[in-house]
Structure formats: C-alpha cells, structure tokens
Amino acid sequence: MPQTDPKTVGIDPIMPAHAQVYLRLRDMVLYGDLTPGQAVTIQGLTKSLSAGMTPVREAIRRLTSQGALEFQGNRRVSVPLLTAADIDEIIVAREWLDPFLTRRAMAHVTGSDIAALTRLDQSLDGAIRQGDLRGYLHLNHQFHLAIYRLARSPILADLAEGLWLRFGPSMRVLCGRIGTQNLPDNHKQTLNAMQTGDTDAAAAAIAADVRQGMDQLRASLADNTAGG
C-alpha cells in the first residue's frame, strides 16, 4: 500500500532548516508517526530527522509549548496520552470552531476554492480505498485546514489547528484499529452545500464530520481503557 513520505509532504525545501525540522517533527506528531505514550530520545529524533541537535531541541520546545509533546526525563519526550476528559474538551472546542470557521469561509469561497477542495476530497477517497492511513490523516487535515484559511480568521484558525496536534496521534491509532473504510467523511455534503451557497448546511456538515470522528475516538479510548 502506498504511504506518504513524512519528510516531503507540505515542506518547502527553500525554507530555513530549523523551520523544516519543526514542520517535519510536527507532522510526525500530527499524523501519528509517534505513538501516544511512546517515549523517544532526542538523539533518536535527530537521526530520524537527519537534523542537528539544536534545531531538533528548538522544535521540541515549540511543540511542548503547544501541548503536542512532553518531556519524560533522560532526554526523552513523548506524545501525551489523551484522557476522556481531554477528548470532551476537544469536542466542545471543535464543535464551535469548525462550523464557525466554515461559516466565515462561505463568505469568501470561490469556484476555484471549491474545485481545490474537491480535488483534496478525491485524493482522500483514494487514500481510503488504498488503506493509506497516513495519507488519509494528511488529506483530511488539509481539507479542514483549507477551510480554516478561507475563513480569514487567523487567530481562530491557529486555535483550531492547535487542536489537531492534540488528537491527531490518537486518530492514527484509531485508524489502525478500524481501518480507513470505517472513517467519517462528510466532506461531500460540505462541498455540495458550498456549491449551492448554503451556509447553514455547510456548517452542519462540518459539525457532523467533527462529531462523528471525535465520538469514534472517544469510544476507542473507552474500549482501550476497559481492555487494559
């Protein structure tokens, strides 16, 4: 099964090296290459990222401040484990933020924007058919990210993006358990509403997409806790 390359997706090769290292490590967290609770050494990250110690430490500090990593001592870091309470807070935040940003985006979206979102969704369908877990996570994130950017609300968009760093790693675990065929996708309903200019329907479709995915994640966490 084809898998996306964590070293190349969305990284501009002409950007400063320290920024590239941050984005690559961020993507490793965001798309679940680092398993929640799994401690990794800073030295190990420098090897996997083919980067120097200084930019890796800088990236770790930045991601730690964003709540995406936490120090474990002995020069180790890990992705925090989510609790049920964490997921409940994320649900509350996303159920407001994502529909609100979608409504804002509807005031600016153009035909070419909808076409670009449609292409993303078609690529997402391909990842689902191929069982490409990382590809699904990347494209699903990019779909929502594109809507955030269309909203032209940078502060709220940053808040929404920050939440993905919190739940993204656990979504990778969920994908591995249930497979891509059983993952939520209300994007087509969103696109149909955008094409007809129905702001309420677009916001409702995104809200349903968020709720379905987060409910699956919460149920998976509950099953895992019960099984342990």
Side-chain angles (χ1 to χ4, degrees), residues 15 28 67 72 103-104 115 123 131 146 155 160 169 180 214 227:
M15 70 171 54
M28 288 176 67
Q72 296 292 343
R103 289 180 178 277
R104 292 291 296 266
S123 296
I155 294 175
T180 55
M214 298 309 298

Side-chain angles (χ1 to χ4, degrees), residues 10-25:
I11 306 296
D12 185 346
I14 68 172
M15 70 171 54
H18 68 89
Q20 291 189 45
V21 170
Y22 165 74
L23 290 176
R24 285 167 53 194
L25 183 53

Side-chain angles (χ1 to χ4, degrees), residues 186-206:
N186 289 280
H187 297 170
K188 289 175 180 57
Q189 293 92 318
T190 305
L191 290 168
N192 290 337
M194 285 183 168
Q195 288 168 346
T196 60
D198 191 333
T199 297
D200 289 342
I206 284 294

